[in-house]
Amino acid sequence: MKKIKVGISACLLGQAVRFNGSHKNSPFCSEVLSKWFDFTPVCPELEIGMGVPREPIRLVNENNQIRVKNVTDQSKDYTEELYALAEKRAPELDDLCGYIFMQKSPSCGVFRVKVYNQNGMPETNPAMGAFAYKLKEHHPLMPMEEAGRLNDIRLRENFIIRVFANHDWRENVLSQPTAKKIVEFHTRYKFLLQAHSEADYRKLGQLVAQAGVKPIDDISTEYFRLFTECLSYIAKINNHVNVLMHMLGFLKSKLPSEAKSSILKSIDRYKDQKINLIVPVTMLKHYVELHNIEYLLNQKYLSPYPYELGLRNDL
Ligand code: SF4
């Protein structure tokens, strides 16, 4: 399989580019995800010429504007250079299907980067790192996550699902959208979307129904915006249970009663959190393949990313 292009803070791949000459190698990124992702490493602070080692910087609230300042000399302000770099790199990074940033960084952090006041005291409200903030303005639908948050299995799975789905959209719809391609894409994501948000799934269905009527570029743009929003919700246990039961409904007439009751038992045990999601999914998938139920075989819900990633073993 062709590797998926994903951006990453260079220090997470073990590059010694941090202010003190160290790195923040993430084995999950550099050893596991690198089997499927073709990483594009970027160190914004290095790219604006700050060098290694360099003086530390941080976010400062200056008259309600978040600036990136030298910790010891506030006359040194790097905000505009980091913004300009993001503006310059944004078109080159247009083909990325996701981005993994280093947490807490005044350049790369996406969530809850600490902000200080001009007297050096920490403030209550966090902000985004300057490079990440500007890049997000240009690519609002690009899945973005922080390496630290990927330690949370639910956030990790959600991010990986969104990257693979983004790649699928780019490969199969984006370059030349047609009503047929959008309908096929929507059909194979049906159960996965339901697991993330039933409400958004319904809105997407209504949108797809207009695919032959309204201009296809408008439908395509709106579809992918809403699709991205839908997948960004973490799938809840009850939603998974509903989807699993719905899928079982397609198999019922084909299965002997013992098989049906053992799948039902595994769904119940998953609901009670006695076993992980992988168990009922694997059982269902086995019977779907055995009976060659084409509609379900194509469902991304059963295989949203390579099995080897094993993410549902912990959900
Ligand atoms: S967090 Fe970003 S700016 Fe800091 S060292 Fe890593 S890649 Fe460079």
Side-chain angles (χ1 to χ4, degrees):
M1 184 195 134
K2 194 169 120 193
K3 285 191 179 182
I4 300 176
K5 287 191 154 200
V6 172
I8 190 165
S9 297
C11 55
L12 291 169
L13 286 187
Q15 295 184 15
V17 291
R18 294 189 73 222
F19 72 100
N20 57 5
S22 69
H23 60 74
K24 279 281 182 183
N25 182 45
S26 154
F28 179 61
C29 296
S30 59
E31 291 164 32
V32 181
L33 291 181
S34 59
K35 289 180 195 150
W36 293 279
F37 293 174
D38 175 14
F39 282 123
T40 300
V42 180
C43 175
E45 291 171 25
L46 204 60
E47 289 200 19
I48 63 167
M50 291 180 73
V52 180
R54 55 185 173 270
E55 293 180 333
I57 56 178
R58 66 184 176 193
L59 296 183
V60 175
N61 182 349
E62 191 177 78
N63 307 321
N64 292 326
Q65 287 206 334
I66 304 298
R67 309 295 298 179
V68 184
K69 300 263 192 174
N70 185 301
V71 170
T72 48
D73 178 1
Q74 286 202 25
S75 68
K76 293 181 183 165
D77 185 320
Y78 303 95
T79 320
E80 298 308 323
E81 286 165 272
L82 287 163
Y83 283 171
L85 176 71
E87 303 267 3
K88 179 173 153 268
R89 295 297 305 265
E92 301 160 26
L93 302 176
D94 187 42
D95 60 347
L96 300 182
C97 297
Y99 207 117
I100 303 174
F101 284 105
M102 177 63 200
Q103 66 273 12
K104 299 182 185 168
S105 157
S107 306
C108 290
V110 186
F111 306 95
R112 309 192 61 75
V113 181
K114 206 174 258 180
V115 177
Y116 294 82
N117 67 20
Q118 286 172 284
N119 298 322
M121 299 302 288
E123 296 216 318
T124 326
N125 294 333
M128 273 180 91
F131 179 78
Y133 173 77
K134 216 21 116 181
L135 199 66
K136 193 166 178 59
E137 263 188 9
H138 283 271
H139 298 300
L141 301 183
M142 184 189 288
M144 291 183 177
E145 197 40 280
E146 289 180 342
R149 283 168 42 105
L150 293 177
N151 291 325
D152 178 316
I153 184 62
R154 290 184 195 282
L155 296 178
R156 175 186 292 201
E157 206 232 4
N158 185 271
F159 174 70
I160 303 293
I161 283 176
R162 286 185 289 138
V163 171
F164 276 89
N166 189 297
H167 178 67
D168 189 0
W169 176 261
R170 282 166 182 274
E171 289 285 293
N172 295 302
V173 185
L174 185 63
S175 57
Q176 221 172 5
T178 62
K180 183 170 180 282
K181 285 183 192 174
I182 293 175
V183 168
E184 283 173 1
F185 183 86
H186 181 68
T187 304
R188 63 180 181 273
Y189 279 90
K190 174 184 162 130
F191 290 105
L192 190 65
L193 291 167
Q194 279 185 302
H196 287 257
S197 163
E198 182 73 35
D200 276 356
Y201 163 70
R202 289 189 189 287
K203 283 190 219 159
L204 284 162
Q206 288 161 6
L207 201 56
V208 169
Q210 300 175 323
V213 186
K214 287 193 172 174
I216 199 64
D217 284 344
D218 293 354
I219 296 283
S220 168
T221 304
E222 181 55 12
Y223 180 88
F224 192 58
R225 188 199 63 74
L226 194 52
F227 176 86
T228 304
E229 179 189 302
C230 180
L231 287 191
S232 69
Y233 294 111
I234 303 285
K236 296 195 176 86
I237 291 169
N238 278 346
N239 291 14
H240 278 300
V241 169
N242 289 342
V243 167
L244 291 165
M245 293 298 287
H246 195 166
M247 285 186 134
L248 180 59
F250 282 83
L251 276 165
K252 263 187 175 161
S253 60
K254 315 232 177 223
L255 296 184
S257 57
E258 307 80 55
K260 261 184 280 180
S261 67
S262 70
I263 295 175
L264 276 172
K265 203 182 283 176
S266 78
I267 295 174
D268 264 353
R269 286 187 176 155
Y270 164 68
K271 190 178 177 186
D272 294 340
Q273 289 289 275
K274 302 281 190 248
I275 57 174
N276 293 319
L277 181 60
I278 191 68
V279 181
V281 169
T282 306
M283 288 176 85
L284 267 172
K285 201 172 170 201
H286 167 76
Y287 287 107
V288 166
E289 286 170 355
L290 192 69
H291 295 283
N292 199 23
I293 316 278
E294 203 181 331
Y295 180 62
L296 296 186
L297 274 176
N298 292 333
Q299 284 301 319
K300 283 287 173 185
Y301 181 81
L302 292 175
S303 310
Y305 42 75
Y307 177 78
E308 294 86 336
L309 275 166
L311 302 177
R312 284 173 168 172
N313 295 349
D314 299 314
L315 280 177

